[in-house]
Amino acid sequence: MPMSDAARAACLSRVFLHSWRCHPNLTLTWAILCPHGLELGQNIDRILRNHTGIGLKTLELNLDDRDSLLPYVDSWLQVAIKPGLEMLILLLHKKYKFPCSLLSEGVRNSIRGLQLYACVFRPTSELGPLRRLTSLDLSFVRITGDELDCLLSNSLALEQLELYSCKEIIFLKIPCVLQQLSRLTVIGCYRLQAMECNAPNLSIVFFSGRNIKLSLGQLMKMKELYMHQPDVVCYARAELPSIMPNLETLVIGAGIEMVNVPMVLTKFLYLKHLTIEIWERTFSPPYDYFPLVSFFDASPALETFFMNVPLEDVKHESVFGASSYLRELPEHQHNCLKVVEITGFSSAKSLVELTCCIVKNAVSLECITLDTLRDRVRCYGEGNETCQPISNAVLKEASRTVMAITMYIEDKVAPTCKLTVLEPCTRCHCR
């Protein structure tokens, strides 16, 4: 209910007023309290004072990074953070230091979820155990690796940990005492140099960052991994099968992939879904896509394969180049692969070789989509009035790519498989 409507209802109904003042879940944000530019601080202060002694279960406080409100935050939190609070969501200000003293023993025994955005957080070993904390989310929070280690060591019930752009963390350690931790997200912590993970029951991990030193134990329960960092494709093929033998979903991406995939013997016995993303152009020597067949030979249960490759990578040898010989490997049937989609498909010889190998050996393949554009939204199709600009180089390469598909791939696709080729529409060619 909008704030103005709630105020009118409170004036007309004592029952509604009492119910509103006793409501255990509060969301206090600029968008809700100040739609007409009213005073945010006064509204927050009035609401929290009216709820004194009520026993909040959930508090969401969003100050919209306004430093003018910093002098009042301590008093507001002292009123709101009491034993019985279960969920605390605070979007404060990068200069505000969250007072750990507010997490008294009573609060530590009740709080289940803690989300802090844009503040300073300095927990120490004296904080004490947060016995019921299951979810911790820190975004743009100034906290060091040692301080986070103190917090994690006191949060034995933690099930989900999310870290976004916590730029003071240089070394991240996930201790083995976190027996309940099943989901880990680490994104945008760009000063991070090393991560050691010893939590035994992780099943889902999202990680994005620069090249860091990873120390991962045997993650036997890992089911889903989403990982983005340079040369991650090579790392995933060489290291992950032995570290995460029960992996079912793997999404890996690299801004730049310089190292070709090794042909190793270890296998992803349970991998069903594989996505590989390479966003930028590779440097010289050009990246060889053909060794990616190693993933297929290593993944007997693979059902879907999606790949995004760089567009306009002029360093790649075209399939129409001097050598017409296409590399092949001994036939190895893939009995489970059903769906393949490659976005940014080009006439690069190694990419054509990879695709030929896939369609020849995937006996259960139902559909394969080859998109000649890196980002499909740049072409809206024949039924739309406008298309976003596409360079002449891209249009020429798209034409070469369609010719390559016709000459080298189309006749290898089984009759039971649907081949879809996506290319710029006629309107794009007329621009």
Side-chain angles (χ1 to χ4, degrees), residues 56-305:
L56 291 177
K57 297 291 186 183
T58 301
L59 173 64
E60 179 178 350
L61 177 61
N62 184 345
L63 301 187
D64 199 34
D65 205 30
R66 296 175 179 234
D67 55 2
S68 61
L69 299 177
L70 288 181
Y72 312 104
V73 177
D74 279 349
S75 62
W76 292 338
L77 296 183
Q78 288 172 3
V79 170
I81 301 179
K82 299 294 183 182
L85 186 68
E86 296 180 358
M87 173 63 72
L88 180 61
I89 304 171
L90 302 177
L91 197 157
L92 301 168
H93 187 275
K94 59 185 178 182
K95 296 180 181 180
Y96 179 75
K97 184 176 181 181
F98 179 81
C100 293
S101 59
L102 292 178
L103 300 176
S104 64
E105 183 175 359
V107 176
R108 295 198 306 270
N109 287 337
S110 65
I111 194 163
R112 295 176 177 270
L114 177 62
Q115 297 182 25
L116 298 181
Y117 300 80
C119 68
V120 181
F121 189 33
R122 305 295 186 197
T124 64
S125 56
E126 288 75 27
L127 175 64
L130 287 82
R131 296 183 179 87
R132 303 185 70 187
L133 187 68
T134 59
S135 176
L136 176 63
D137 184 339
L138 304 179
S139 300
F140 300 94
V141 171
R142 293 171 57 188
I143 183 172
T144 68
D146 289 339
E147 291 163 344
L148 181 60
D149 187 37
C150 289
L151 181 61
L152 296 180
S153 298
N154 279 312
S155 307
L156 302 186
L158 198 64
E159 299 174 2
Q160 177 174 311
L161 172 63
E162 299 187 14
L163 303 173
Y164 297 92
S165 297
C166 297
K167 298 181 180 180
E168 290 189 7
I169 300 177
I170 298 175
F171 176 70
L172 175 60
K173 181 178 181 181
I174 310 297
C176 61
V177 294
L178 297 184
Q179 298 284 316
Q180 306 303 317
L181 188 66
S182 61
R183 185 183 182 99
L184 172 65
T185 300
V186 182
I187 295 177
C189 300
Y190 293 116
R191 294 186 64 195
L192 186 63
Q193 298 178 7
M195 182 170 75
E196 177 182 329
C197 182
N198 296 307
N201 294 313
L202 276 174
S203 60
I204 302 175
V205 170
F206 294 80
F207 175 79
S208 177
R210 299 171 181 172
N211 263 333
I212 69 167
K213 182 180 179 181
L214 290 174
S215 177
L216 303 175
Q218 287 288 330
L219 301 176
M220 303 300 293
K221 295 189 177 181
M222 181 68 69
K223 299 296 185 182
E224 300 179 26
L225 176 64
Y226 304 79
M227 191 172 185
H228 296 80
Q229 70 172 34
D231 291 327
V232 69
V233 181
C234 176
Y235 170 81
R237 181 64 190 95
E239 304 292 339
L240 293 185
S242 58
I243 297 173
M244 307 173 186
N246 297 308
L247 202 62
E248 296 180 0
T249 298
L250 176 61
V251 178
I252 48 179
I256 296 174
E257 188 74 17
M258 295 286 293
V259 184
N260 290 326
V261 172
M263 305 296 283
V264 292
L265 297 178
T266 52
K267 292 183 179 292
F268 292 101
L269 293 177
Y270 302 99
L271 188 65
K272 295 181 180 180
H273 309 288
L274 173 63
T275 298
I276 298 176
E277 301 175 337
I278 303 176
W279 301 303
E280 305 295 339
R281 301 179 185 182
T282 54
F283 294 112
S284 183
Y287 186 72
D288 189 356
Y289 295 105
F290 184 65
L292 292 177
V293 297
S294 177
F295 278 98
F296 296 92
D297 293 339
S299 310
L302 192 66
E303 297 177 2
T304 65
F305 173 66

Side-chain angles (χ1 to χ4, degrees), residues 312 389-400 428-429 431:
E312 296 183 277
I390 300 177
S391 69
N392 288 330
V394 172
L395 291 174
K396 290 180 181 179
E397 176 56 32
S399 298
R400 283 194 298 268
C428 293
H429 286 277
R431 293 179 65 85

Side-chain angles (χ1 to χ4, degrees), residues 51 130 336:
H51 278 75
L130 287 82
C336 296

Side-chain angles (χ1 to χ4, degrees), residues 17-35:
L17 177 61
H18 177 74
S19 173
W20 183 81
R21 285 182 173 176
C22 294
H23 193 63
N25 304 313
L26 286 183
T27 299
L28 308 178
T29 70
W30 183 89
I32 294 175
L33 299 179
C34 303

